[in-house]
Amino acid sequence: MRPGTLPSRKNTATSLGSMPLGSPGAVMNAAVTMHDSLYYRCLNVRRRLEKVAQLQPYLNLAYASSELLSEKQSLLLSQQQQQLQRQQQQQQQGETAQNHHHSVISTSSRQYRDSHNSLRDEYSFMDGITYTNSVSNPASSAGGSASGEVDTLLTFAMGILPLTVDCDPVTQLSQLFRQGSPLCVLFNAVRPQFKIPVVSSDDLKVCKKSIYDFILSVKKHLALRDEDLFTISDVFHNSTNNLMKVVDVVSTIMDLAPEMFPSRKQMEQEIELELQNSATRDDYGKVIKEFVITERKYVHDLETLNTYKTQLLENNIITSEELYMLFPNLTEAIDFQRRFLVSLEINALVDPSRQRIGALFMHCKSFFKLYEPWSIGQNAAIDFLTGTLEKIPDLNFVINNKLELQSFLYKPVQRLCRYPLLLKELSGARTNGDATSTKELDGALDVSRNIAKSINENQRRTENHQVVKQLYGRVNNWKGYRIAKFGELLYFDKVFISTSGSSEPEREFEVYLFEKIIILFSQVVAKKSSSLMLKKKNTAPSSSSLTLNLNSSATSSFHHSSPGNGLSLSHTNSLPSLSASGGITNEPKLDLRGRIMIMNLNQINAVGPRSLNITWESVKEQGNFLLKFKNEETRDNWSSCLQTLVRKMKSASYRSTASDNSFLSSSGPSTTSSTPTRTPTSASQPDNSHTSLNSFGNSAMKHLSDMLPKQRKRVSNLDSAPDLRSVSENYKHSIPESSIMMRISFNQAFYTILVELSAPMSSVTELVRKKLYPVGNFTKIKYQDEDGDYVMLSSDEDWLVAKDMLKENDERVLNILAY
């Protein structure tokens, strides 16, 4: 290197690319010190700059402007917090009033509750748990764009500072460099023979002109290349990445004048000595130290990922779209975590009674939404790595091991799930502090738990999507039913089921909880004999069935043949294991055993250490069954989810009842029926109360069946009609292959029409309307499924399910109820 020239920053500054490579864990286990963090790097540079007397006025001005920005940010955040609290209070008051209204409706309308069978809304089962509704675009906020919460992000420290701290050194340096003239003073101090004009002004154009003169002089007299320098826009950009470029160049220039500036190493030692003298050594101090150290390591890991991402892009290994899949929001996440670390390190330096770590978390909670893409796409990224990284040539990348890269991709989720543990330890170790800071710390613990729960929930839902895809092919016979009508899969597990008070052994089933239904499966066990006759015997329908009389008004019912006694249940200890992508690695076939509609559940109560007692009721009967889970945590998750679903179903039912009451009142005598098993007001609605939990596939379960209420024979409009006769086989064969016959019950009379199988649902409705036009109008039509339940027929999907049912049962006639 020529004397008087500035070495390239790539060779002098700490570079991730210069770390030792070649062995697994080389980068993952690399030591990270306090001087690697942005806070201490800026503190080091500021103290070195203080050695130049000419810079002191500029430093004082930067300090004053930073202090003003910190006060303004604190005020804006406080106002924002108060506004959020008011909104939450208004929302709670609205929910209270709504619940009261629902309870009033339920008192006068309970007799109609089980007659409503159209659930068209999608319900969010994690209401109040998933933390995703604070800021519309936190990614842009963290990056510094003018939207959402960025209006409150005025400094390089997140949240509000402790009362004893006026500003942070990062923001102070940023304000110093934006003045422009201090950079000129620095250059003149290092290279006095090439002095440039120093013009102090608060005019933006003058400041930019001074920065331009500095950059030009450095390039000319210190032989620094463009890629090693910063730009004018870097100085004014509200991003830690851009600020670090400026800090690195200034630090390197000071290294050229050791007679004027202390060395970096010397200043680092002075700072370390100060910290050692002021450090607290109690339990609280140890927790704070661990908190800060692990946060520094996490930020460093994100920076390592960013370096690796740049290397992949520069070498054209994968496309920019694939890079985003692997590293979503990485730049914004790094910027946010650096600012977060700055505030954390500031708090760690003051007395615990003055710290505002709780407020830091509460003000940062919306920015954690940046990690949603990580939690959702993590498994897809790992799958992509498995199939793609094998093709990457052996290059000298900062990460050169596939397993190590996979570990890096797990880092964000792991860190977010560790925050609650650290905050809990911090709260437990605290011995003093005012009520405000204690309350803030408790609030921070709640925020961090909600964030971790949201992350876990996103991952679980992503895995559940894969499970549903696999479930399509695992079930031997869906009987024409479609998973799309169940809503979202929420939980699935192996669960032991029994009835309360039963002395018989409990039985294990694979249970899948959807938004609208609980479905029970048993695994198909391979037959020991290959005899065709034995197979037929084992698959023959059994007369024994386990039945729950539940109101099935939401969707059509299943009708499942129960295997004979020769088929036993599989009793493995867990569900098929999931791969990293959430896919199932072992997929035994399943037999559908039954289902329970969510809308018919009444009470969900915890019993013992890990059991859940569920009671149901219909217009005719009621009963209960017991679910035993593997542990208490799983039981509690299912219980909370089921209670939320039931609450929302009842709320929707009350609203529907209120609107239907006015319809029934205006319908007059046409809504009544002579059917003796119904109240007059609900007789026009078919009895949907028979939801089946068919035989569990083992003769030993006959006792369990006996413990539950028997299904009562229902009397419907169609069944009681004197002129409704069985269709002869000859008449069935006369129906064209491309058509089906619809038998329509309307106003105590019956009509028949032929409908083309290829006709859309709109054409079917129109044919029915034309047939019934001379005798009256109808608003809804339902078809009778294989269990005898009536199911709404209003969409092409409903029509497709009905046709599948007829095809499955080799039927040519569909019973229809119009009303």
Side-chain angles (χ1 to χ4, degrees):
M1 184 178 67
R2 301 193 315 270
T5 61
L6 183 67
S8 170
R9 282 196 303 118
K10 291 183 178 180
N11 297 327
T12 58
T14 301
S15 172
L16 290 172
S18 64
M19 292 181 180
L21 302 176
S23 59
V27 179
M28 179 68 69
N29 299 323
V32 178
T33 68
M34 56 185 287
H35 306 293
D36 294 316
S37 70
L38 178 60
Y39 176 87
Y40 283 103
R41 288 169 68 178
C42 289
L43 182 62
N44 191 315
V45 170
R46 191 194 72 183
R47 290 195 175 185
R48 295 175 74 190
L49 289 174
E50 289 173 348
K51 301 299 180 180
V52 180
Q54 299 93 318
L55 286 175
Q56 197 59 49
Y58 299 101
L59 285 167
N60 293 338
L61 181 60
Y63 188 95
S65 60
S66 299
E67 183 181 11
L68 183 62
L69 288 175
S70 297
E71 292 177 354
K72 185 177 180 181
Q73 178 169 302
S74 176
L75 177 62
L76 291 173
L77 285 171
S78 298
Q79 293 174 346
Q80 188 180 72
Q81 189 72 15
Q82 293 174 2
Q83 182 180 3
L84 180 61
Q85 291 176 354
R86 286 195 298 268
Q87 291 175 351
Q88 292 175 343
Q89 291 175 356
Q90 293 173 358
Q91 183 179 3
Q92 292 174 355
Q93 292 173 357
E95 291 177 351
T96 302
Q98 187 179 31
N99 292 335
H100 174 70
H101 176 64
H102 291 162
S103 65
V104 172
I105 295 177
S106 65
T107 302
S108 60
S109 314
R110 183 178 179 83
Q111 57 184 321
Y112 301 110
R113 179 170 61 85
D114 294 322
S115 66
H116 303 289
N117 55 16
S118 179
L119 297 177
R120 301 301 181 192
D121 298 329
E122 294 295 331
Y123 302 107
S124 174
F125 73 99
M126 290 299 292
D127 183 31
I129 297 179
T130 304
Y131 193 84
T132 59
N133 58 354
S134 296
V135 178
S136 59
N137 191 0
S140 61
S141 300
S145 56
S147 65
E149 197 170 317
V150 71
D151 294 335
T152 62
L153 199 60
L154 306 177
T155 73
F156 284 89
M158 296 296 296
I160 59 178
L161 298 176
L163 296 176
T164 55
V165 179
D166 296 325
C167 70
D168 65 277
V170 185
T171 304
Q172 186 181 359
L173 279 191
S174 174
Q175 294 297 308
L176 177 70
F177 299 146
R178 292 181 183 186
Q179 297 176 38
S181 50
L183 293 173
C184 298
V185 173
L186 172 64
F187 178 84
N188 294 341
V190 175
R191 291 292 181 264
Q193 64 272 32
F194 304 114
K195 282 188 177 182
I196 52 180
V198 178
V199 182
S200 301
S201 174
D202 57 358
D203 184 84
L204 183 60
K205 292 182 178 180
V206 176
C207 295
K208 289 185 176 181
K209 177 59 169 59
S210 297
I211 297 172
Y212 174 78
D213 291 340
F214 170 80
I215 294 174
L216 193 63
S217 298
V218 169
K219 289 175 62 178
K220 181 178 180 180
H221 301 294
L222 299 179
L224 197 66
R225 297 173 299 176
D226 288 337
E227 57 266 30
D228 297 321
L229 273 169
F230 56 84
T231 64
I232 296 176
S233 61
D234 287 334
V235 178
F236 292 94
H237 201 284
N238 188 29
S239 166
T240 56
N241 278 334
N242 300 83
L243 177 60
M244 288 175 67
K245 295 179 182 179
V246 185
V247 172
D248 285 346
V249 171
V250 169
S251 182
T252 306
I253 289 177
M254 287 189 291
D255 290 342
L256 298 177
E259 69 282 359
M260 295 187 59
F261 301 99
S263 67
R264 301 186 197 184
K265 192 67 176 177
Q266 178 182 347
M267 192 56 63
E268 289 175 359
Q269 292 174 350
E270 292 181 7
I271 295 174
E272 288 179 2
L273 184 60
E274 294 177 5
L275 292 178
Q276 289 176 1
N277 295 333
S278 60
T280 58
R281 293 173 175 81
D282 56 4
D283 291 341
Y284 186 87
K286 293 178 181 178
V287 177
I288 283 287
K289 183 178 180 180
E290 180 188 3
F291 207 148
V292 174
I293 289 176
T294 54
E295 188 69 22
R296 289 174 189 154
K297 183 63 170 69
Y298 172 57
V299 172
H300 183 269
D301 289 339
L302 292 181
E303 292 171 343
T304 302
L305 265 179
N306 195 51
T307 301
Y308 182 75
K309 171 185 172 182
T310 303
Q311 291 173 335
L312 288 175
L313 191 61
E314 290 176 348
N315 287 272
N316 297 319
I317 301 298
I318 52 181
T319 66
S320 57
E321 291 79 10
E322 292 168 338
L323 276 177
Y324 180 79
M325 183 186 71
L326 291 173
F327 315 104
N329 293 340
L330 179 58
T331 303
E332 291 83 359
I334 292 175
D335 187 84
F336 160 64
Q337 293 294 163
R338 284 176 181 152
R339 296 170 185 262
F340 183 85
L341 177 57
V342 167
S343 295
L344 192 60
E345 290 184 305
I346 291 175
N347 277 278
L349 296 175
V350 302
D351 185 83
S353 61
R354 303 289 184 177
Q355 292 176 2
R356 305 299 301 273
I357 295 178
L360 170 62
F361 267 89
M362 296 174 68
H363 291 139
C364 291
K365 56 186 178 182
S366 60
F367 288 92
F368 286 110
K369 189 178 179 181
L370 285 165
Y371 290 104
E372 281 189 355
W374 285 90
S375 59
I376 295 173
Q378 186 181 73
N379 290 329
I382 294 174
D383 274 352
F384 178 84
L385 288 172
T386 302
T388 304
L389 294 190
E390 297 291 346
K391 307 173 185 177
I392 294 181
D394 187 14
L395 299 176
N396 189 29
F397 284 177
V398 64
I399 302 175
N400 62 356
N401 180 277
K402 183 173 65 178
L403 293 178
E404 190 173 65
L405 177 56
Q406 179 175 317
S407 298
F408 271 101
L409 291 176
Y410 278 124
K411 284 290 183 178
V413 173
Q414 291 174 343
R415 186 59 183 173
L416 293 180
C417 292
R418 190 175 182 184
Y419 282 141
L421 302 177
L422 291 169
L423 286 170
K424 187 176 181 179
E425 290 183 17
L426 201 62
S427 180
R430 188 163 188 165
T431 57
N432 58 353
D434 57 19
T436 300
S437 58
T438 301
K439 184 178 180 179
E440 288 176 349
L441 205 56
D442 293 339
L445 184 58
D446 291 337
V447 168
S448 64
R449 284 172 174 169
N450 286 338
I451 293 169
K453 190 175 293 185
S454 176
I455 292 297
N456 290 329
E457 181 61 24
N458 286 336
Q459 289 188 312
R460 186 186 61 78
R461 294 177 71 175
T462 302
E463 291 179 354
N464 283 355
H465 279 293
Q466 297 295 327
V467 170
V468 170
K469 290 180 181 179
Q470 299 288 347
L471 195 59
Y472 274 105
R474 294 185 62 199
V475 179
N476 283 334
N477 190 349
W478 282 104
K479 298 295 183 181
Y481 217 80
R482 299 190 177 276
I483 300 182
K485 302 193 73 171
F486 302 160
E488 183 182 357
L489 175 63
L490 308 180
Y491 288 99
F492 65 97
D493 205 344
K494 280 199 170 182
V495 180
F496 285 93
I497 299 181
S498 64
T499 56
S500 179
S502 174
S503 60
E504 63 186 90
E506 52 204 12
R507 293 292 174 177
E508 188 179 44
F509 297 90
E510 288 194 20
V511 183
Y512 290 74
L513 170 59
F514 291 83
E515 288 179 293
K516 300 178 182 179
I517 194 171
I518 304 174
I519 311 180
L520 282 68
F521 299 97
S522 65
Q523 290 187 6
V524 177
V525 179
K527 311 295 188 300
K528 294 183 179 180
S529 172
S530 59
S531 169
L532 180 61
M533 293 299 294
L534 183 57
K535 288 183 179 180
K536 290 183 177 179
K537 179 179 179 181
N538 287 343
T539 57
S542 170
S543 60
S544 173
S545 64
L546 174 64
T547 304
L548 288 179
N549 290 338
L550 302 179
N551 185 15
S552 173
S553 59
T555 55
S556 65
S557 301
F558 292 107
H559 178 74
H560 309 298
S561 297
S562 302
N565 299 339
L567 179 60
S568 60
L569 291 176
S570 168
H571 292 283
T572 55
N573 293 325
S574 62
L575 282 175
S577 59
L578 294 176
S579 66
S581 64
I584 299 178
T585 58
N586 180 25
E587 305 172 21
K589 288 292 185 177
L590 299 176
D591 276 337
L592 190 52
R593 294 304 181 204
R595 51 96 172 101
I596 308 162
M597 304 304 297
I598 298 296
M599 66 183 304
N600 299 297
L601 302 184
N602 189 10
Q603 292 183 352
I604 299 97
N605 299 316
V607 178
R610 53 192 178 94
S611 297
L612 205 60
N613 185 50
I614 298 179
T615 62
W616 53 269
E617 65 173 325
S618 69
V619 293
K620 295 181 179 181
E621 293 181 318
Q622 62 183 11
N624 75 298
F625 52 96
L626 200 67
L627 305 179
K628 181 178 290 186
F629 298 90
K630 298 173 184 176
N631 52 61
E632 184 176 359
E633 181 182 2
T634 303
R635 188 272 310 275
D636 291 343
N637 289 337
W638 279 67
S639 176
S640 175
C641 182
L642 281 168
Q643 288 173 353
T644 301
L645 288 175
V646 171
R647 183 172 61 252
K648 287 183 175 292
M649 285 287 187
K650 289 183 178 180
S651 177
S653 177
Y654 296 151
R655 291 195 297 269
S656 177
T657 298
S659 60
D660 280 7
N661 281 340
S662 60
F663 169 76
L664 291 172
S665 299
S666 62
S667 299
S670 63
T671 61
T672 63
S673 170
S674 60
T675 306
T677 57
R678 299 179 179 84
T679 58
T681 54
S682 61
S684 62
Q685 305 292 334
D687 186 357
N688 303 333
S689 62
H690 303 283
T691 298
S692 300
L693 273 177
N694 290 308
S695 171
F696 288 87
N698 194 299
S699 59
M701 295 306 293
K702 291 181 180 179
H703 299 292
L704 179 58
S705 177
D706 294 337
M707 295 301 297
L708 296 171
K710 297 297 185 295
Q711 183 175 5
R712 298 181 181 178
K713 179 175 177 59
R714 296 168 304 138
V715 181
S716 69
N717 289 340
L718 288 177
D719 296 332
S720 61
D723 58 336
L724 181 61
R725 297 178 300 274
S726 300
V727 180
S728 67
E729 290 299 322
N730 291 336
Y731 189 85
K732 287 183 180 180
H733 291 313
S734 68
I735 301 174
E737 291 288 338
S738 60
S739 304
I740 64 170
M741 186 181 77
M742 283 188 171
R743 297 189 296 184
I744 309 169
S745 171
F746 181 65
N747 287 346
Q748 303 302 315
F750 296 89
Y751 310 87
T752 60
I753 59 173
L754 282 179
V755 177
E756 291 289 330
L757 289 171
S758 59
M761 185 60 215
S762 57
S763 299
V764 174
T765 305
E766 188 60 29
L767 286 173
V768 176
R769 193 176 304 281
K770 288 181 179 180
K771 185 70 175 180
L772 302 181
Y773 179 74
V775 294
N777 296 322
F778 66 93
T779 58
K780 298 178 182 179
I781 58 175
K782 297 180 179 181
Y783 71 91
Q784 191 175 35
D785 70 358
E786 52 200 351
D787 272 347
D789 296 329
Y790 287 91
V791 184
M792 187 65 64
L793 188 61
S794 60
S795 66
D796 287 330
E797 185 181 13
D798 298 334
W799 177 225
L800 183 60
V801 171
K803 290 187 291 185
D804 287 344
M805 178 196 70
L806 293 177
K807 182 179 179 181
E808 180 70 28
N809 297 316
D810 194 23
E811 289 287 345
R812 309 300 306 280
V813 181
L814 186 65
N815 292 328
I816 295 293
L817 174 67
Y819 60 97

